[in-house]
Amino acid sequence: MTDSTKLPKLSKGGAPHQTTEDGYKTLTTKNGTPVSDNQNHLKAGSRGPMLTEDFAFREKMFHFDHERIPERVVHARGYGMKGYFELTDDLSDVTDAKILTETGKKTEAFMRISTVAGNKGSPDLARDVRGFAVKIYTDEGNWDIVGNNIPVFFIQDAIKFPDLIHAAKPEPDRGFPQAQTAHDNFWDFISLSPETMHMVMWIMSDRTIPRSLRFMEGFGVHTFRLLKGGKSKFVKFHWKPKYGMQSVAWNEAVKINGADPDYHRRDIFNSINDGAYPEWELGVQIFDQDFADNFEFDVLDPTKLIPEEDIPVRIIGRLVMNKNVDNFFAETEQVAFCTANVPPGIGFSNDPLLQGRNFSYLDTQLKRLGGPNFQHIPVNRPRCPMHNFQQDGHMAMENPKGRANYEPNSWGTEDGGPRENPKSGYKFFEQSTDGTAQKIRPESFADHYSQARQFYISQTKVEQTHIQDALCFELSKVKKAAIRELMVSHLRNIEDSLAKAVAKGLGMSLPKAAKAAVKTNMDIKKSDALSMHKNPPESFASRTLGIMVAEGSDAKRINALKSQMKKMKANVAIIAPTVGGVELSDGTHLDADEQVGGGPSVLYDAIAVIASDKGGNTLADMPPAKDFVSDAHAHKKFIAYDAGAKALFKAAGLSGMMDAGYTEVDTKASVNDFSDNLSALRFWARAK
Ligand code: HDE
C-alpha cells in the first residue's frame, strides 16, 4: 500500500492570481494562465501577420465558436425561476410519495414557462400555449410536472406530435411565419384533425395571450396515478395563480410584441427582484376507477378535462418562486424536464400521449445537452443522494469511487456499491394487460365536439367575442379557401352562432356541418371554472398603473395615486415627455420610467393622465401621447385624469366618449373611487 504521508502536498485550489493594479481579478485562460493583453493578437511587428502561438486567442475564439447548443425543438423560448414547494394538505391516505405526505416541509423547486412554436428569440406575446414545467427536487428523486397553461392537448396519440408541430412552425419552403399559427399549414392540419377542436377553443381564447406568466393557471393535463401500497387512484394536477388570472387583448399583444418583446420575462425578473413572488397553489382532482368508468368521456383521452364542478380541485400545496436564475444558460437553457421523472407513490395512466412523452423527453436531452450525463448539470441534479453503476460518457462529473462498477458483486457494503431496495424502491402499478397488437384509436376517444362546446358556452359574451375575433383573424391569414371552409364546418358542430359569426367575419357563406363520428352533446352543462372573466382576481395587486405626466403636473394628485397603489401592493410607472422626468407643481422633480414614445399604454393595466394646463397642451401635440390615451380607451382600461388632461383627450378624439370607466381625480375620495374599480381590470361595458 502507498504510504500517503510520503505523497507530496498538493496546493488546494491554488493561490489567487495577483489582482490588477486597479483591484480587479486577473483575467486568465480556461487553463488558468494569466492573460496580459486581451485587446491585441500576438503579431510579428505592429502590422502583422498574426502568430498562431497566441493560445489565449485560440482558446477564446474556439470557445466562442462553440457556445451555442441546439434550442429546444418545441418550447424554445422560456423563462426560468427558482423557489420552493410546500405541502399544506397531507395525501398520505392515497399516496406513498413523501413529497405529498410531509406537510410544512419546503422543498427546492425550479420552474420554466415557455411558448411552444416560436424560436428562442421570438416575442413573448405570441398567441400560443404556454409550457408550464415544474421540477421539484424531492428526497425520493426529482418530480417533473411538465404541463401547459391549458388543461387539454391537440392530439390523442403521440405519433401525431411531429406533424402537429411541423404544421405550426414556419412553413419549410419559406421559413415563415415565426411564432404564429395564423397560416395555411397549421389550419390545414387542424381542420383535418377534428380531435384538436377542444384545444382550438382554448387557443383562440385569451388564455393564449396572458398578461403575465404569474397570472395563468397551469395543468398537468394527463391523468396520472397516486399509488399507495399497491393501490391506485387517478389524479389530475392543477396550478392556481395566487394573483388570479388575467390576459391582454389581441390588439395589445400585437403592440406589446413591438414595444417590449421581453414583456413576460421582464415582468418575472422585476417581480422577483421586487419581492412580489410568482406563486401558485397546487390542486388535485382525485378520482377512482368507478368514476372513470362512469364519466361521459375517457379519462385517458388528453383532449378531455374533468369539470371542476364534477370533481372539485382540492388545494394541497403552494409553489413560491422567490429567486431569479443566476445564469440563464446554466439553468433556464440547460434544465431538462421529463414526464417520466416521478417519485415512488406517483404513477402513469395509459394515456397514449403521456406514454409517448415518457419516451421523448429523455431522447431530446441527448441531442440538446450532448450526452447521457445531463443529470450531472447542477440544475438537473437530484438534491437527494444518487448511487448507481452508470459510468463514463461525455462530461461525466459524478463518477463512482471504488472497485465495483457492476453488480452482483462480492465486494461488500463498503466497496460493492449500491443495491436495489425492494422496500423503498419505485414500484409500478400492477395492472393486468391483455390485448391484440393493433394500431387503433379507442372508440371512447371519438367525441371531438362536446367538450369544445362546453368550453365555448361557459365563456362570458365578451370572451366569446374574443374567440370569434381570434378565429376570424387566424383564418383570414389562410390563403386556401377550402381550409377556411372546413374549419367553419367543424365550428358548426360546436355552436352554430360561433360558426355564423366566423363565417360572417370571413365573408363566406355558411358551409354544411362537418361529418362527426359522434354527435355533439348539445345539452352538455356549462362549467363556470372554465371562464377567466367569471373568476376575476381578488385585487389589483401586482398590476401596474401607468401615470402620464408633463411639466408642472399636480404633485398632490400624483402622490395620492402613488400612495393608493402602494396600499394596494400595485406598481406605478411614470411616463413623461422625456426620460429625464418633469418638475411638478410643488417644484419637486419626478423621474420618469419611460419617455412618451417608449411607454405605450399597452404595457400598463390602467392609466392616469395628470397634466397641468400647459403640460396638457404639450402632450396634445405629441402623437404617442394621443395613442397612449386612445389605445387605453379602446382596450377598455380604467382611466384617471385631471382637468389638464382634457386637452389631450380632445386631441385624441375622446372628449365625447368619456364614460364611467373614466374618473376625474381630485380629492382622496375620487382616488378611492378610481382604485375601487381596478380589480375588475377592464371596463367591459365600454362601447366598441
Ligand atoms: Fe412536450 N416536449 N411533447 N408537451 N413539452 C418538449 O422536451 C413532446 C406535450 C411540454 O421548459 C421537448 O426538453 C411529445 C404535452 C413542455 O424545458 C420534447 C409530445 C405537453 C416542454 C417534447 C409532447 C407538453 C416540452 C422539447 C406528444 C403539456 C418544455 C425539449 C406526445 C402537457 C419543457 C424538451 C422545458 C418540451 C416532446 C406533448 C409540455 C421534444 C413527443 C401534451 C412544458 O421532448
Side-chain angles (χ1 to χ4, degrees), residues 375-598:
Q375 288 102 335
H376 297 182
I377 298 171
V379 68
N380 296 323
R381 200 168 50 210
R383 303 308 188 237
C384 62
M386 47 166 172
H387 309 284
N388 53 58
F389 296 101
Q390 266 95 275
Q391 67 169 33
D392 303 353
H394 283 292
M395 311 292 168
M397 303 289 160
E398 309 260 341
N399 299 303
K401 293 200 174 103
R403 183 163 187 175
N405 57 356
Y406 62 93
E407 68 97 22
N409 65 53
S410 57
W411 296 109
T413 52
E414 278 294 301
D415 285 331
R419 290 293 186 276
E420 67 209 20
N421 186 336
K423 234 171 138 193
S424 65
Y426 186 90
K427 285 185 209 70
F428 289 88
F429 178 58
E430 290 183 8
Q431 55 178 332
S432 55
T433 52
D434 179 22
T436 313
Q438 50 190 337
K439 274 180 163 284
I440 198 167
R441 198 74 64 89
E443 268 176 35
S444 52
F445 282 25
D447 178 351
H448 301 318
Y449 300 109
S450 297
Q451 280 208 342
R453 175 178 176 78
Q454 181 172 50
F455 181 80
Y456 186 74
I457 62 173
S458 303
Q459 307 300 304
T460 63
K461 276 270 165 299
V462 169
E463 290 173 310
Q464 287 184 344
T465 310
H466 290 182
I467 295 174
Q468 295 162 12
D469 292 348
L471 278 160
C472 288
F473 172 84
E474 296 261 323
L475 293 173
S476 74
K477 301 282 176 184
V478 170
K479 299 287 171 249
K480 195 170 163 187
I483 299 175
R484 299 200 289 262
E485 195 174 310
L486 186 52
M487 260 319 296
V488 179
S489 74
H490 288 297
L491 300 181
R492 295 208 64 183
N493 290 333
I494 296 171
E495 163 55 35
D496 231 18
S497 60
L498 167 65
K500 280 184 188 142
V502 175
K504 189 171 167 218
L506 292 172
M508 60 183 264
S509 46
L510 200 61
K512 272 205 198 128
K515 265 208 173 129
V518 171
K519 271 199 160 177
T520 314
N521 173 2
M522 298 307 281
D523 300 326
I524 196 157
K525 278 187 300 212
K526 284 184 185 174
S527 162
D528 284 344
L530 301 177
S531 155
M532 290 179 25
H533 288 191
K534 290 180 191 168
N535 299 280
E538 278 167 18
S539 75
F540 195 65
S542 226
R543 273 79 182 172
T544 304
L545 173 69
I547 309 181
M548 179 170 274
V549 297
E551 283 302 325
S553 288
D554 183 48
K556 269 215 313 251
R557 287 189 177 92
I558 292 171
N559 290 336
L561 282 168
K562 274 174 136 182
S563 68
Q564 185 65 12
M565 288 306 117
K566 198 167 172 200
K567 244 203 246 156
M568 296 165 73
K569 298 203 165 83
N571 309 307
V572 163
I574 301 293
I575 302 101
T578 69
V579 77
V582 292
E583 198 179 302
L584 299 180
S585 56
D586 62 357
T588 55
H589 181 82
L590 180 66
D591 276 337
D593 297 291
E594 298 285 355
Q595 60 135 329
V596 170

Side-chain angles (χ1 to χ4, degrees), residues 71-79 110-116 129-134 145-155 157-162 164-165 199 219-222 224 302 332-339 351-365 368:
E71 63 174 38
R72 287 165 177 80
V73 59
V74 277
H75 297 267
R77 183 164 178 89
Y79 206 65
F110 189 90
M111 179 173 193
R112 184 176 179 275
I113 304 189
S114 47
T115 51
V116 179
V129 184
R130 296 300 182 290
F132 199 106
V134 181
I145 308 182
V146 201
N148 279 343
N149 74 330
I150 289 180
V152 291
F153 200 63
F154 291 100
I155 48 171
D157 192 300
I159 201 168
K160 287 175 73 78
F161 189 66
L164 165 74
I165 298 304
M199 181 85 166
F219 305 89
V221 178
H222 312 281
F224 288 84
T332 307
E333 202 50 23
Q334 294 199 115
V335 66
F337 294 94
C338 178
T339 44
D351 174 343
L353 201 65
L354 173 60
Q355 299 197 342
R357 295 179 71 198
N358 285 349
F359 173 83
S360 173
Y361 286 68
L362 199 55
D363 198 39
T364 206
Q365 309 313 344
R368 263 180 34 76

